[in-house]
Amino acid sequence: MNWLGSLQQLGRAVMLPTMVLPAAAILLSLGSLPWSTWGFPMVSDMANAAGNGIFYFLPYLFAVGVALGMSNQAGQAGLAALAGMAIYDQVTLRFGNGLIHPATLIGIILGVISGVAYNRFKSIKLPEVLQFFGGTRFVLLLIGLFSAVFAGLMLIVAPLIQRGLQFIAGLELSLGGFGLFVYGILYRVLAAFGLHHLLNNIFWFQLGTYKTPSGNIVQGDLPRFFAGDPTAGYFMSGLFPIMMFAIPAIALAIIQEAREDLKPKVQKTFLTAALVCFFTGVSEQIEFAFLFAAPYLFLVHAVMSGLAMWLTFELDIHHGFSYSAGFIDYVLNFHLSHNAWLLIPLGVAYGLVYYVLFRWAIRRFRIPTPGREEGSVLEDWAGNIPYSAPLILEALGGKENIVRVEACITRLRLTVHNDRLIDTGAIKALGSAGLINLGGGNLQVVFGTYSELIREEIAKLMERDLPQVLFNAPVHGKMLPIHEVPDKIFATKLVGDGVAFVPERGELVSPVYGTVMHLYPTMHALGISTREGLEVLLHIGIDTSQLKGNFTAMVEAGDTVEPGQLLIKFDLQALREQAPSLVTPMVITNPDRVKSWSFAPFKTVKKGQTSVMSVVLHDRNVGGVET
């Protein structure tokens, strides 16, 4: 892995522990209610204790979460990090003279070391008499001993690090609004590469120190905000106008600039994305709709985001969130805020500016945002994920090409052997908003909030060795469900099951590896037997068996063919004039061999495009009984 790939993995790892923070925010919000007035004072105390407990043990959560993220969810690495954090905490508590406090930075360091140690030593073999401590048990032993030495060293170094962080925090605040302006720009630019979690972790969880009335020390803008620090919240407040108003306004601009025939589809998708962003602050689905098409517009967006941070600083607005700057967090944490009501008029103004700016830019520079051209618009296909996952995996180069696959909130994070095997066109057709190649085989594919579900399905496929057959597109044109074929025999699946195409060019190519079983005399159709025993019929047009002279076969019965190989040339114009329909079915005539079917979105496909259809075959045991 190159350095960007390493940062990608670390960025996802440090994000994982923050997923527990919404629980803390809800508990503290419940604790702020007037339970004493209602006669239940203990409820308030319990809720506050529970919420504050999460922040108190935040370094532990970071240690475990980062270790899991760095070791591909290995429980032994998480346990090693937890043990290491406990050892560090006890040593520094007893010998630190009250000057050293558990910090998220220490949790991250121990988490990284535990994850790396697990990856390096999980299969280590020791001499036979010591092999009990070999393998993953060696990782636990190693991190336990390392943590004791590390804690002793940190008795000297930790105060220096804490003073350094305090100096950086003071320097940042001395820059005033300009410092927040720079932070806002960096946040938005790094978000495009999925590396913003590294930046945020420094400002949200490490810079700035606050001593609570109970004597606990908390660090970072986010924990300090929830602990009641009146100076906290600067590094979060400016994100609310962007997430709640500006980015949803981009979605509305994209809808308004869509073609009339595609507008209903775009409206359904992007209204949902706008609501998701408004309520939860998940913005990548919308941002990636124009990031690749107009990167200069994304830079304008980054500058405007920085300006929002500056404005909230000048207006002395203090607000924070546990998850992201959405409406839910805005309401939940309003009782802890200062001048947060100003975020609403500021956000409305930002939304209007963004709406006008993006509508003008899309129209003026003819930016190909979704709806202005045929392409993926992040369709609502969550229910089809188990059926689409095999196609996504194949578009990523197949399971042999995958080294590691993980997911964060809105994107798959991948390491592959060969990034040239990635079919970007197929990835987009399957619902991706964009693909970022970080080099060294490290990729990010944006699938929105379905990314984790897709990762789970891909992981299942990689663990199983399924007898699977993948079909390429046999023609260039629009793909249709088989039931839309204007012929009752094909539409009712009397011949077989599959898909159909409306060809736009006069060439038919092989969709699979196989052997030509038979070629019809008029050459309007042929059958292929795949290596797995499937029998595939390709039929050019409807009722074309009598249209002699319009077809030229490039293969003969008995020939071996491979995907993309030219089979038949045909006179497309003549068929348009003479045939009832150009619809070309591709059906499996022995569908009893198929256990499950997967289809790519029914859109325009390119000739030879990989994996427009995938089928999983029934396994056959020695006795011949299908399972």
Side-chain angles (χ1 to χ4, degrees), residues 1 4 14 28 159 179 208 240-241 266 270 334 364 368 384 427 447 467 499 512 560 571 577 610 622:
M1 295 176 64
L4 270 179
V14 298
L28 292 176
F240 283 98
V266 174
F270 277 86
F334 189 84
R364 174 67 177 81
N384 294 322
I427 287 290
F447 278 108
V499 294
V512 289
T560 301
D571 189 333
E577 297 172 355
T610 55
V622 178

Side-chain angles (χ1 to χ4, degrees), residues 245-258 263 266-267 270-271 274 286 351 355 358-359 362:
F245 297 95
I247 295 178
I250 297 174
L252 296 180
I254 290 174
I255 293 170
Q256 292 302 317
E257 291 301 319
K263 187 171 290 187
V266 174
Q267 180 172 310
F270 277 86
L271 275 181
I286 300 171
Y355 178 76
F358 273 77
R359 283 206 66 177
I362 292 170

